[in-house]
Amino acid sequence: MAGRIPLVLLACGSFNPITHQHMRLFELARDHMHQTDMLSLSLHFAGLYRVVGGIVSPVGDNYGKQGLVVSKHRLAMARLALQSSDWVSVDDWESQQADWTETVVTMRYHYDHIAAQYHNSKDPLTASDVPQLKLLCGADFMDTFKVPGLWRDDHVEEVVGRFGLVCVSRGSLQPDRAIHESDLLSRHRQRIFLVREWVHNEISATEVRRALRRGQSIKYLLPDSVIDYIREHNLYTQDSEMMNKEVKLRPLTMQTIQD
Amino acid sequence: MAGRIPLVLLACGSFNPITHQNMRLFELARDHMHQTGLYHVVGGIVSPVGDDYGKRGLVASKHRLAMARLALQSSDWVSVDDWESKLEDWTETVVTMRYHYNRIAAQYHSSKDLPTVSEVPELKLLCGADFMDTFKVPGLWRDDHVEEVVGRFGLVCVSRGSLQPDRAIHESDLLSRHRQSIFLVREWVHNEISATEVRRALRRGQSVKYLLPDSVIDYIREHNLYTQDSEMKNKDVKLRPLTKQTIQD
């Protein structure tokens, strides 16, 4: 794939726990950006890219989401799940930060980190060799942009406009509509790659936790190694789901202070 | 689980190839049947159809059996059976069910001193909602076979995506009559990993990772199954049930 732009995909999220669906997003996105599917629905030429890496970045415990188990476990499960992947890995930088960290801050960190690696390993620096970093997400993520107080406008500008999104549509959600309903997103339409997922595979972590609380099987929804880990540590009980029940999401409390 | 009826679940199908979704059906069905309080699931059988079925894109049963065995290595209660695939011609579902029921009953009778009626396991057909719709395809099922599969043995049907098994039952007098022998399991996790989609992705050089076990993906690549050519198999062939059953009667 000579002449293509190297690309790293970054997925932020709870990964509470990681499922086969999360890992499918990486596979689908990579295929799309390589444009092996000649019927790609993307408006632009996705074949410009060569995916060189994938990063799973679990959110920190301060996020305050209901049912969020400690990052130590979420990291361990993600590592187990990704053992069989030769290009996607887990990163704990975000989860080790003292407070919840905005997506754009995590992206800047990883971009700087990747750029530094490339500059160290090459003699004549050429701009086209520095990999790009894009945020990989599901369609439900696109809807979060319109939740009041959750995102700062200048952050959305940078995440979408400077870096870019690769959004995999999940089930019946319509990312096109989310873009249409936002002037900001519409303005950066060329920076948003939409990947259509034809295999309806809505294995949500919420459903997995629900099944576990009710003593139901989750086999084949996530790797056996992760299931074993969950049982060993007795994660995901009635009690664990009560975690952060009365707590507000950190972004909503954090961002009213700054400004 | 004292006092419960032991139950074996049998899934017939192409398994071309087996996917995580096929295996999920067993897990969901077992949880559901345990929750009824009546049953205790003691086993599961995957029975791939024979090559004479004539379905489009069906690869040799040798491969479909091997993939299913790889996929089920990590299961402690579901196994693969090759009896159906080894028969000379395509075999009706009811015949396969009778074979397995007799085999299971014989095992239980030979392993007990005093056989009691409640100890002999029941055998039920495990299927997805799309299977329920096959009952109305003209010429595909014999009425007396449907009676026996549903009425004598029973169905455990897992609803998949947006299909509605309730409607299929409603639209058939025969199925409606045996409503109590049909257990409907609602699948809340929408997991429509169809083998058709898997084969499509493979033909186009796309990833199928996490849709089926790595061991099965390795097998597929090693044997280069599922190409443009493999999908052409049986292109102009009629499904065997449709040709076989007009002769008998």
Side-chain angles (χ1 to χ4, degrees), chain B residues 122-173:
Chain B
E122 285 189 19
L123 177 74
K124 293 194 187 300
L125 190 67
L126 170 64
C127 60
D130 50 349
F131 179 86
M132 298 283 274
D133 291 328
T134 67
F135 288 125
K136 57 185 187 207
V137 175
L140 197 57
W141 286 90
R142 276 171 52 164
D143 281 355
D144 58 330
H145 284 185
V146 178
E147 276 278 357
E148 194 175 341
V149 166
V150 185
R152 177 192 172 196
F153 293 111
L155 292 183
V156 180
C157 175
V158 182
S159 70
R160 181 167 120 168
S162 59
L163 292 165
Q164 289 167 32
D166 302 84
R167 174 160 289 281
I169 297 171
H170 171 72
E171 286 174 358
S172 155
D173 289 345

CSV table of all heavy atoms in Angstrom, one decimal, chain B residues 122-173:
chain,number,residue,atom,x,y,z
B,122,GLU,N,-36.2,-35.8,27.2
B,122,GLU,CA,-37.0,-35.4,26.0
B,122,GLU,C,-36.0,-34.8,25.0
B,122,GLU,O,-34.9,-34.4,25.4
B,122,GLU,CB,-38.0,-34.3,26.4
B,122,GLU,CG,-39.2,-34.9,27.1
B,122,GLU,CD,-40.3,-33.8,27.4
B,122,GLU,OE1,-40.3,-32.8,26.7
B,122,GLU,OE2,-41.2,-34.1,28.3
B,123,LEU,N,-36.4,-34.8,23.8
B,123,LEU,CA,-35.6,-34.2,22.7
B,123,LEU,C,-36.4,-33.1,22.1
B,123,LEU,O,-37.5,-33.4,21.6
B,123,LEU,CB,-35.2,-35.3,21.7
B,123,LEU,CG,-34.4,-34.8,20.5
B,123,LEU,CD1,-33.0,-34.4,20.9
B,123,LEU,CD2,-34.4,-35.8,19.4
B,124,LYS,N,-35.9,-31.9,22.0
B,124,LYS,CA,-36.6,-30.9,21.3
B,124,LYS,C,-35.7,-30.2,20.2
B,124,LYS,O,-34.5,-30.2,20.4
B,124,LYS,CB,-37.1,-29.8,22.3
B,124,LYS,CG,-38.1,-30.3,23.3
B,124,LYS,CD,-38.8,-29.2,24.0
B,124,LYS,CE,-39.7,-29.9,25.1
B,124,LYS,NZ,-40.7,-30.8,24.5
B,125,LEU,N,-36.4,-29.7,19.2
B,125,LEU,CA,-35.7,-29.1,18.1
B,125,LEU,C,-35.4,-27.6,18.4
B,125,LEU,O,-36.3,-26.9,18.7
B,125,LEU,CB,-36.5,-29.2,16.8
B,125,LEU,CG,-35.7,-28.8,15.5
B,125,LEU,CD1,-34.6,-29.8,15.2
B,125,LEU,CD2,-36.7,-28.7,14.3
B,126,LEU,N,-34.1,-27.2,18.4
B,126,LEU,CA,-33.8,-25.9,18.6
B,126,LEU,C,-33.6,-25.1,17.3
B,126,LEU,O,-33.0,-25.6,16.4
B,126,LEU,CB,-32.4,-25.8,19.4
B,126,LEU,CG,-31.7,-24.5,19.5
B,126,LEU,CD1,-32.5,-23.6,20.4
B,126,LEU,CD2,-30.3,-24.7,20.1
B,127,CYS,N,-34.3,-24.0,17.2
B,127,CYS,CA,-34.2,-23.3,15.9
B,127,CYS,C,-34.3,-21.8,16.1
B,127,CYS,O,-34.7,-21.3,17.2
B,127,CYS,CB,-35.3,-23.8,15.0
B,127,CYS,SG,-37.0,-23.5,15.7
B,128,GLY,N,-34.0,-21.0,15.0
B,128,GLY,CA,-34.3,-19.6,15.0
B,128,GLY,C,-35.6,-19.3,14.4
B,128,GLY,O,-36.3,-20.2,13.9
B,129,ALA,N,-36.1,-18.1,14.5
B,129,ALA,CA,-37.4,-17.7,14.1
B,129,ALA,C,-37.6,-17.9,12.6
B,129,ALA,O,-38.7,-18.2,12.1
B,129,ALA,CB,-37.7,-16.2,14.5
B,130,ASP,N,-36.5,-17.8,11.8
B,130,ASP,CA,-36.7,-17.9,10.4
B,130,ASP,C,-37.1,-19.4,10.0
B,130,ASP,O,-37.7,-19.6,9.0
B,130,ASP,CB,-35.4,-17.5,9.6
B,130,ASP,CG,-34.1,-18.2,10.2
B,130,ASP,OD1,-34.2,-18.7,11.3
B,130,ASP,OD2,-33.1,-18.0,9.6
B,131,PHE,N,-36.7,-20.3,10.9
B,131,PHE,CA,-37.1,-21.7,10.7
B,131,PHE,C,-38.6,-21.9,10.7
B,131,PHE,O,-39.1,-22.7,10.0
B,131,PHE,CB,-36.4,-22.5,11.8
B,131,PHE,CG,-36.7,-24.0,11.7
B,131,PHE,CD1,-36.0,-24.8,10.9
B,131,PHE,CD2,-37.8,-24.5,12.4
B,131,PHE,CE1,-36.3,-26.2,10.8
B,131,PHE,CE2,-38.1,-25.9,12.3
B,131,PHE,CZ,-37.3,-26.7,11.5
B,132,MET,N,-39.2,-21.1,11.6
B,132,MET,CA,-40.7,-21.2,11.8
B,132,MET,C,-41.4,-20.9,10.4
B,132,MET,O,-42.4,-21.4,10.1
B,132,MET,CB,-41.2,-20.3,12.8
B,132,MET,CG,-40.7,-20.6,14.2
B,132,MET,SD,-41.5,-22.0,14.9
B,132,MET,CE,-42.9,-21.2,15.6
B,133,ASP,N,-40.8,-20.0,9.7
B,133,ASP,CA,-41.4,-19.6,8.4
B,133,ASP,C,-41.3,-20.6,7.3
B,133,ASP,O,-42.0,-20.6,6.4
B,133,ASP,CB,-40.7,-18.3,7.9
B,133,ASP,CG,-41.0,-17.1,8.8
B,133,ASP,OD1,-42.2,-17.0,9.3
B,133,ASP,OD2,-40.2,-16.2,8.9
B,134,THR,N,-40.3,-21.6,7.5
B,134,THR,CA,-40.2,-22.6,6.5
B,134,THR,C,-41.4,-23.5,6.4
B,134,THR,O,-41.6,-24.2,5.4
B,134,THR,CB,-38.9,-23.4,6.7
B,134,THR,OG1,-39.1,-24.2,7.9
B,134,THR,CG2,-37.7,-22.6,6.9
B,135,PHE,N,-42.1,-23.6,7.5
B,135,PHE,CA,-43.3,-24.5,7.5
B,135,PHE,C,-44.3,-24.2,6.5
B,135,PHE,O,-45.1,-25.0,6.0
B,135,PHE,CB,-44.0,-24.5,8.9
B,135,PHE,CG,-43.2,-25.2,10.0
B,135,PHE,CD1,-42.9,-24.5,11.2
B,135,PHE,CD2,-42.8,-26.5,9.8
B,135,PHE,CE1,-42.1,-25.1,12.2
B,135,PHE,CE2,-42.0,-27.1,10.8
B,135,PHE,CZ,-41.7,-26.5,12.0
B,136,LYS,N,-44.3,-22.9,6.0
B,136,LYS,CA,-45.4,-22.5,5.0
B,136,LYS,C,-44.9,-22.5,3.6
B,136,LYS,O,-45.6,-22.2,2.7
B,136,LYS,CB,-46.0,-21.2,5.4
B,136,LYS,CG,-45.1,-20.0,5.5
B,136,LYS,CD,-45.8,-18.8,6.0
B,136,LYS,CE,-44.9,-17.6,6.0
B,136,LYS,NZ,-45.2,-16.5,6.9
B,137,VAL,N,-43.6,-22.9,3.4
B,137,VAL,CA,-43.1,-23.0,2.0
B,137,VAL,C,-43.7,-24.3,1.4
B,137,VAL,O,-43.5,-25.4,2.0
B,137,VAL,CB,-41.5,-23.1,2.0
B,137,VAL,CG1,-41.0,-23.4,0.6
B,137,VAL,CG2,-40.9,-21.9,2.6
B,138,PRO,N,-44.4,-24.1,0.3
B,138,PRO,CA,-45.1,-25.3,-0.3
B,138,PRO,C,-44.1,-26.4,-0.7
B,138,PRO,O,-43.1,-26.2,-1.3
B,138,PRO,CB,-45.7,-24.7,-1.6
B,138,PRO,CG,-45.7,-23.2,-1.4
B,138,PRO,CD,-44.6,-22.9,-0.5
B,139,GLY,N,-44.4,-27.6,-0.2
B,139,GLY,CA,-43.7,-28.8,-0.6
B,139,GLY,C,-42.4,-29.0,0.2
B,139,GLY,O,-41.7,-30.0,0.0
B,140,LEU,N,-42.1,-28.2,1.2
B,140,LEU,CA,-40.9,-28.3,1.9
B,140,LEU,C,-41.1,-29.3,3.1
B,140,LEU,O,-40.2,-30.0,3.5
B,140,LEU,CB,-40.4,-27.0,2.4
B,140,LEU,CG,-39.0,-26.9,2.9
B,140,LEU,CD1,-38.0,-27.3,1.8
B,140,LEU,CD2,-38.6,-25.4,3.3
B,141,TRP,N,-42.3,-29.3,3.7
B,141,TRP,CA,-42.6,-30.1,4.9
B,141,TRP,C,-43.8,-31.0,4.6
B,141,TRP,O,-44.8,-30.5,4.0
B,141,TRP,CB,-42.9,-29.3,6.1
B,141,TRP,CG,-41.7,-28.6,6.7
B,141,TRP,CD1,-41.2,-27.4,6.4
B,141,TRP,CD2,-40.9,-29.1,7.8
B,141,TRP,NE1,-40.2,-27.1,7.2
B,141,TRP,CE2,-40.0,-28.1,8.1
B,141,TRP,CE3,-40.9,-30.3,8.5
B,141,TRP,CZ2,-39.0,-28.3,9.1
B,141,TRP,CZ3,-40.0,-30.5,9.5
B,141,TRP,CH2,-39.0,-29.5,9.8
B,142,ARG,N,-43.8,-32.2,5.1
B,142,ARG,CA,-44.9,-33.1,5.1
B,142,ARG,C,-45.7,-32.8,6.3
B,142,ARG,O,-45.1,-32.6,7.4
B,142,ARG,CB,-44.5,-34.5,5.1
B,142,ARG,CG,-44.2,-35.1,3.7
B,142,ARG,CD,-43.7,-36.5,3.8
B,142,ARG,NE,-44.4,-37.4,4.6
B,142,ARG,CZ,-44.3,-38.7,4.5
B,142,ARG,NH1,-43.4,-39.2,3.7
B,142,ARG,NH2,-44.9,-39.5,5.3
B,143,ASP,N,-47.0,-32.7,6.2
B,143,ASP,CA,-47.9,-32.3,7.4
B,143,ASP,C,-47.7,-33.3,8.6
B,143,ASP,O,-47.6,-32.9,9.7
B,143,ASP,CB,-49.4,-32.3,7.0
B,143,ASP,CG,-49.8,-31.0,6.3
B,143,ASP,OD1,-48.9,-30.1,6.2
B,143,ASP,OD2,-50.9,-30.9,5.9
B,144,ASP,N,-47.6,-34.6,8.2
B,144,ASP,CA,-47.4,-35.6,9.3
B,144,ASP,C,-46.1,-35.4,10.0
B,144,ASP,O,-45.9,-35.7,11.2
B,144,ASP,CB,-47.7,-37.0,8.8
B,144,ASP,CG,-46.7,-37.4,7.7
B,144,ASP,OD1,-46.3,-36.5,6.9
B,144,ASP,OD2,-46.4,-38.6,7.6
B,145,HIS,N,-45.1,-34.9,9.3
B,145,HIS,CA,-43.8,-34.7,9.9
B,145,HIS,C,-43.8,-33.5,10.8
B,145,HIS,O,-43.2,-33.5,11.9
B,145,HIS,CB,-42.7,-34.5,8.8
B,145,HIS,CG,-42.3,-35.8,8.1
B,145,HIS,ND1,-41.3,-35.8,7.1
B,145,HIS,CD2,-42.8,-37.0,8.2
B,145,HIS,CE1,-41.2,-37.0,6.7
B,145,HIS,NE2,-42.0,-37.8,7.4
B,146,VAL,N,-44.5,-32.5,10.4
B,146,VAL,CA,-44.6,-31.3,11.2
B,146,VAL,C,-45.3,-31.7,12.5
B,146,VAL,O,-44.9,-31.3,13.6
B,146,VAL,CB,-45.4,-30.1,10.5
B,146,VAL,CG1,-45.5,-28.9,11.4
B,146,VAL,CG2,-44.6,-29.7,9.3
B,147,GLU,N,-46.4,-32.5,12.4
B,147,GLU,CA,-47.1,-33.0,13.6
B,147,GLU,C,-46.2,-33.6,14.5
B,147,GLU,O,-46.2,-33.4,15.7
B,147,GLU,CB,-48.2,-34.0,13.1
B,147,GLU,CG,-49.5,-33.5,12.7
B,147,GLU,CD,-50.5,-33.2,13.8
B,147,GLU,OE1,-50.1,-33.4,15.0
B,147,GLU,OE2,-51.6,-32.7,13.5
B,148,GLU,N,-45.3,-34.5,14.0
B,148,GLU,CA,-44.4,-35.2,14.9
B,148,GLU,C,-43.3,-34.4,15.5
B,148,GLU,O,-43.0,-34.4,16.6
B,148,GLU,CB,-43.8,-36.4,14.1
B,148,GLU,CG,-43.2,-37.4,15.0
B,148,GLU,CD,-42.7,-38.7,14.3
B,148,GLU,OE1,-43.1,-38.9,13.2
B,148,GLU,OE2,-41.8,-39.4,14.9
B,149,VAL,N,-42.7,-33.5,14.6
B,149,VAL,CA,-41.6,-32.7,15.1
B,149,VAL,C,-42.1,-31.8,16.2
B,149,VAL,O,-41.5,-31.6,17.3
B,149,VAL,CB,-41.0,-31.8,13.9
B,149,VAL,CG1,-40.1,-30.7,14.5
B,149,VAL,CG2,-40.2,-32.7,13.0
B,150,VAL,N,-43.3,-31.1,16.0
B,150,VAL,CA,-43.8,-30.2,16.9
B,150,VAL,C,-44.6,-30.8,18.0
B,150,VAL,O,-44.4,-30.6,19.2
B,150,VAL,CB,-44.7,-29.1,16.2
B,150,VAL,CG1,-45.1,-28.0,17.2
B,150,VAL,CG2,-43.9,-28.5,15.1
B,151,GLY,N,-45.5,-31.7,17.6
B,151,GLY,CA,-46.4,-32.3,18.6
B,151,GLY,C,-45.8,-33.4,19.5
B,151,GLY,O,-46.0,-33.4,20.7
B,152,ARG,N,-45.0,-34.2,18.9
B,152,ARG,CA,-44.4,-35.3,19.7
B,152,ARG,C,-43.2,-34.8,20.4
B,152,ARG,O,-43.0,-35.1,21.6
B,152,ARG,CB,-44.1,-36.5,18.8
B,152,ARG,CG,-43.4,-37.6,19.5
B,152,ARG,CD,-42.8,-38.7,18.6
B,152,ARG,NE,-42.0,-39.6,19.4
B,152,ARG,CZ,-41.1,-40.5,18.9
B,152,ARG,NH1,-40.9,-40.5,17.6
B,152,ARG,NH2,-40.4,-41.3,19.7
B,153,PHE,N,-42.3,-34.2,19.6
B,153,PHE,CA,-41.0,-33.7,20.3
B,153,PHE,C,-41.1,-32.3,20.9
B,153,PHE,O,-40.9,-32.2,22.0
B,153,PHE,CB,-39.9,-33.8,19.2
B,153,PHE,CG,-39.6,-35.2,18.8
B,153,PHE,CD1,-39.8,-35.6,17.5
B,153,PHE,CD2,-39.0,-36.1,19.7
B,153,PHE,CE1,-39.5,-36.9,17.1
B,153,PHE,CE2,-38.7,-37.4,19.3
B,153,PHE,CZ,-38.9,-37.8,18.0
B,154,GLY,N,-41.4,-31.3,20.0
B,154,GLY,CA,-41.5,-30.0,20.5
B,154,GLY,C,-40.3,-29.1,20.0
B,154,GLY,O,-39.3,-29.6,19.6
B,155,LEU,N,-40.6,-27.8,20.0
B,155,LEU,CA,-39.6,-26.8,19.4
B,155,LEU,C,-39.2,-25.8,20.5
B,155,LEU,O,-40.0,-25.5,21.4
B,155,LEU,CB,-40.3,-26.0,18.4
B,155,LEU,CG,-40.7,-26.5,17.0
B,155,LEU,CD1,-41.3,-25.4,16.2
B,155,LEU,CD2,-39.6,-27.2,16.3
B,156,VAL,N,-37.9,-25.4,20.4
B,156,VAL,CA,-37.5,-24.3,21.2
B,156,VAL,C,-37.0,-23.3,20.2
B,156,VAL,O,-36.0,-23.5,19.5
B,156,VAL,CB,-36.4,-24.7,22.2
B,156,VAL,CG1,-35.9,-23.4,23.0
B,156,VAL,CG2,-36.8,-25.8,23.2
B,157,CYS,N,-37.7,-22.2,20.1
B,157,CYS,CA,-37.5,-21.3,19.0
B,157,CYS,C,-36.9,-19.9,19.5
B,157,CYS,O,-37.6,-19.3,20.3
B,157,CYS,CB,-38.7,-21.1,18.2
B,157,CYS,SG,-38.6,-19.8,16.9
B,158,VAL,N,-35.7,-19.5,19.1
B,158,VAL,CA,-35.1,-18.3,19.6
B,158,VAL,C,-35.4,-17.2,18.5
B,158,VAL,O,-35.0,-17.4,17.4
B,158,VAL,CB,-33.6,-18.5,19.8
B,158,VAL,CG1,-33.0,-17.2,20.3
B,158,VAL,CG2,-33.3,-19.6,20.7
B,159,SER,N,-36.1,-16.2,18.9
B,159,SER,CA,-36.4,-15.1,18.0
B,159,SER,C,-35.2,-14.3,17.7
B,159,SER,O,-34.5,-13.8,18.6
B,159,SER,CB,-37.6,-14.3,18.4
B,159,SER,OG,-37.2,-13.5,19.5
B,160,ARG,N,-35.0,-14.1,16.4
B,160,ARG,CA,-33.7,-13.4,15.9
B,160,ARG,C,-34.1,-12.1,15.2
B,160,ARG,O,-34.8,-12.1,14.2
B,160,ARG,CB,-33.1,-14.4,14.9
B,160,ARG,CG,-31.8,-14.0,14.3
B,160,ARG,CD,-31.2,-15.2,13.6
B,160,ARG,NE,-31.0,-15.0,12.2
B,160,ARG,CZ,-30.3,-15.8,11.4
B,160,ARG,NH1,-29.7,-16.9,11.9
B,160,ARG,NH2,-30.1,-15.6,10.1
B,161,GLY,N,-33.6,-11.1,15.7
B,161,GLY,CA,-33.8,-9.8,15.1
B,161,GLY,C,-35.3,-9.4,15.1
B,161,GLY,O,-35.9,-9.5,16.1
B,162,SER,N,-35.8,-9.1,13.9
B,162,SER,CA,-37.2,-8.5,13.8
B,162,SER,C,-38.2,-9.6,13.4
B,162,SER,O,-39.3,-9.3,13.3
B,162,SER,CB,-37.2,-7.4,12.9
B,162,SER,OG,-36.8,-7.8,11.6
B,163,LEU,N,-37.7,-10.8,13.2
B,163,LEU,CA,-38.7,-11.8,12.8
B,163,LEU,C,-39.7,-12.2,13.9
B,163,LEU,O,-39.3,-12.1,15.0
B,163,LEU,CB,-37.9,-13.1,12.3
B,163,LEU,CG,-37.1,-12.9,11.1
B,163,LEU,CD1,-36.1,-14.1,10.9
B,163,LEU,CD2,-38.0,-12.9,9.9
B,164,GLN,N,-40.9,-12.6,13.5
B,164,GLN,CA,-41.9,-12.8,14.5
B,164,GLN,C,-42.4,-14.2,14.5
B,164,GLN,O,-43.3,-14.6,13.7
B,164,GLN,CB,-43.0,-11.8,14.3
B,164,GLN,CG,-42.7,-10.4,14.7
B,164,GLN,CD,-43.7,-9.4,14.2
B,164,GLN,OE1,-44.9,-9.7,14.2
B,164,GLN,NE2,-43.2,-8.2,13.9
B,165,PRO,N,-41.9,-15.1,15.4
B,165,PRO,CA,-42.4,-16.4,15.4
B,165,PRO,C,-43.8,-16.6,15.8
B,165,PRO,O,-44.5,-17.5,15.4
B,165,PRO,CB,-41.5,-17.1,16.4
B,165,PRO,CG,-40.9,-16.0,17.2
B,165,PRO,CD,-40.8,-14.8,16.3
B,166,ASP,N,-44.3,-15.6,16.7
B,166,ASP,CA,-45.7,-15.6,17.1
B,166,ASP,C,-46.6,-15.6,15.8
B,166,ASP,O,-47.6,-16.3,15.8
B,166,ASP,CB,-46.0,-14.4,17.9
B,166,ASP,CG,-45.2,-14.3,19.2
B,166,ASP,OD1,-44.1,-13.8,19.0
B,166,ASP,OD2,-45.6,-14.8,20.2
B,167,ARG,N,-46.3,-14.8,14.9
B,167,ARG,CA,-47.1,-14.7,13.7
B,167,ARG,C,-47.1,-16.0,12.9
B,167,ARG,O,-48.1,-16.4,12.4
B,167,ARG,CB,-46.6,-13.5,12.8
B,167,ARG,CG,-47.2,-13.4,11.5
B,167,ARG,CD,-47.1,-12.0,10.9
B,167,ARG,NE,-47.8,-11.0,11.6
B,167,ARG,CZ,-49.1,-10.8,11.5
B,167,ARG,NH1,-49.8,-11.5,10.6
B,167,ARG,NH2,-49.7,-9.8,12.2
B,168,ALA,N,-45.9,-16.6,12.8
B,168,ALA,CA,-45.8,-17.9,12.1
B,168,ALA,C,-46.7,-18.9,12.7
B,168,ALA,O,-47.4,-19.7,12.0
B,168,ALA,CB,-44.4,-18.4,12.0
B,169,ILE,N,-46.8,-18.9,14.0
B,169,ILE,CA,-47.6,-19.9,14.7
B,169,ILE,C,-49.1,-19.5,14.5
B,169,ILE,O,-49.9,-20.4,14.2
B,169,ILE,CB,-47.3,-19.8,16.3
B,169,ILE,CG1,-45.9,-20.3,16.6
B,169,ILE,CG2,-48.3,-20.7,17.0
B,169,ILE,CD1,-45.5,-20.1,18.0
B,170,HIS,N,-49.4,-18.3,14.6
B,170,HIS,CA,-50.7,-17.8,14.3
B,170,HIS,C,-51.3,-18.2,13.0
B,170,HIS,O,-52.4,-18.5,12.8
B,170,HIS,CB,-50.8,-16.3,14.5
B,170,HIS,CG,-52.1,-15.6,14.2
B,170,HIS,ND1,-53.2,-15.8,14.9
B,170,HIS,CD2,-52.4,-14.9,13.1
B,170,HIS,CE1,-54.2,-15.1,14.3
B,170,HIS,NE2,-53.8,-14.6,13.2
B,171,GLU,N,-50.4,-18.1,12.0
B,171,GLU,CA,-50.8,-18.3,10.6
B,171,GLU,C,-50.9,-19.7,10.2
B,171,GLU,O,-51.2,-20.1,9.1
B,171,GLU,CB,-49.9,-17.5,9.6
B,171,GLU,CG,-50.2,-16.0,9.7
B,171,GLU,CD,-49.2,-15.2,8.9
B,171,GLU,OE1,-48.3,-15.8,8.3
B,171,GLU,OE2,-49.3,-14.0,8.8
B,172,SER,N,-50.6,-20.6,11.1
B,172,SER,CA,-50.7,-22.1,10.8
B,172,SER,C,-51.6,-22.8,11.8
B,172,SER,O,-51.3,-22.7,13.0
B,172,SER,CB,-49.2,-22.7,10.9
B,172,SER,OG,-49.3,-24.1,11.2
B,173,ASP,N,-52.6,-23.4,11.3
B,173,ASP,CA,-53.5,-24.1,12.2
B,173,ASP,C,-52.8,-25.2,13.0
B,173,ASP,O,-53.0,-25.5,14.2
B,173,ASP,CB,-54.7,-24.8,11.4
B,173,ASP,CG,-55.6,-23.7,10.9
B,173,ASP,OD1,-55.6,-22.6,11.4
B,173,ASP,OD2,-56.5,-24.1,10.0
